[in-house]
Amino acid sequence: MRTAYQDQLEDLTNQLGAMCELAGAAMERATQALLQADLVLAEQVISDQDVLGEHSARTEEAAFVLLALQAPVARDLRSVVSAIQMVADIDRMGALAVHVAKIARRRHPVHALPEEVNGYFSEMGRVAVELGRTAQEVLLTGDIDKAARIRAEDDAMDDLHRHLFNVLMDREWKHGVASAVDVALLSRFYERFADHAVEIGRRVIFMATGELPEYEELPPETWRD
């Protein structure tokens, strides 16, 4: 029975890892759609959201079954409860990629981004995808040192987010209000994606040590459809 229980815990971790992979791939494709004004790719990101949603539902159900039938304690309890919380984080990562794709779709066939900010978003996309991959790795390996480093790696995204706001506030901005709103929203979507990756790292540390790093808590989610 104990072996079967541990197998269920391992399966739960693997499901979370698979969800992270899907969310990272969605943001990678969404970034390509945004930079290339690729309608087909944007539509793919939007339609694939259902796949991540199905994974979320199955993973959450598996976690609740473990709680109900196995009554885990100590580290196992932390793992199951953290898994439920991480399902929500990863689901939001996928949803944020969809938000990016929807802006690309709405502006098609025009590029949603002025050319002068393309470099910022290319880098934000790269950082977001890398953070997603790191979150997946720490989930699967339980590497708490690498989990702690996610917070530092997120600083690059925060810097890009701040720089973009400086660009928007510059008197030389000549692309109008609608474009400025798109850029501000998109920047926020990438920054939030990174924040959720940081939160996954916190949960991995909590699962292993019983202590939750005192990072700034994510505020209530406001970027919903």
Side-chain angles (χ1 to χ4, degrees), residues 19 23 26-27 49 52-53 56 85-100 188-190 192-197 200 218-225:
M19 287 180 62
M27 185 55 91
Q49 186 182 25
L52 183 57
S56 297
Q85 294 167 323
M86 286 189 286
V87 166
D89 281 306
I90 302 168
D91 194 60
R92 289 307 304 150
M93 290 166 74
L96 289 160
V98 169
H99 289 334
V100 172
R188 179 63 168 162
F189 296 153
Y190 283 95
R192 291 287 292 169
F193 185 99
D195 285 345
H196 285 289
I200 291 168
L218 285 173
E221 186 59 69
T222 57
W223 301 102
R224 295 191 180 277
D225 290 328

Side-chain angles (χ1 to χ4, degrees), residues 63-173:
F64 279 120
V65 167
L66 280 172
L67 279 178
L69 300 184
Q70 302 291 349
V73 296
R75 179 170 179 163
D76 289 347
L77 178 60
R78 294 198 302 269
S79 296
V80 177
V81 172
S82 294
I84 294 169
Q85 294 167 323
M86 286 189 286
V87 166
D89 281 306
I90 302 168
D91 194 60
R92 289 307 304 150
M93 290 166 74
L96 289 160
V98 169
H99 289 334
V100 172
K102 284 183 175 179
I103 289 181
R105 181 178 68 176
R106 185 167 68 244
R107 297 303 180 193
H108 183 82
V110 177
H111 283 74
L113 297 174
E115 186 174 351
E116 68 197 70
V117 299
N118 277 349
Y120 287 99
F121 282 97
S122 177
E123 182 63 9
M124 290 180 98
R126 185 196 67 77
V127 172
V129 171
E130 185 60 32
L131 283 169
R133 287 173 180 158
T134 303
Q136 179 189 18
E137 182 179 344
V138 300
L139 262 171
L140 296 176
T141 64
D143 186 336
I144 61 173
D145 292 330
K146 193 158 193 172
R149 289 197 296 272
I150 294 179
R151 179 67 175 182
E153 292 169 7
D154 175 54
D155 289 345
M157 184 70 82
D158 291 337
D159 288 343
L160 288 163
H161 184 57
R162 284 191 294 268
H163 284 312
L164 269 171
F165 269 90
N166 289 336
V167 171
L168 291 176
M169 297 301 293
D170 195 303
R171 291 182 179 181
E172 297 299 317
W173 180 263

Side-chain angles (χ1 to χ4, degrees), residues 29-63:
R29 288 193 294 268
T31 302
Q32 293 172 6
L34 180 67
L35 294 173
Q36 300 167 15
D38 189 325
L39 180 61
V40 173
L41 205 52
E43 294 284 10
Q44 180 184 349
V45 173
I46 295 164
S47 62
D48 283 351
Q49 186 182 25
D50 290 342
V51 177
L52 183 57
E54 291 168 3
H55 274 265
S56 297
R58 286 198 301 269
T59 305
E60 194 170 57
E61 181 181 2

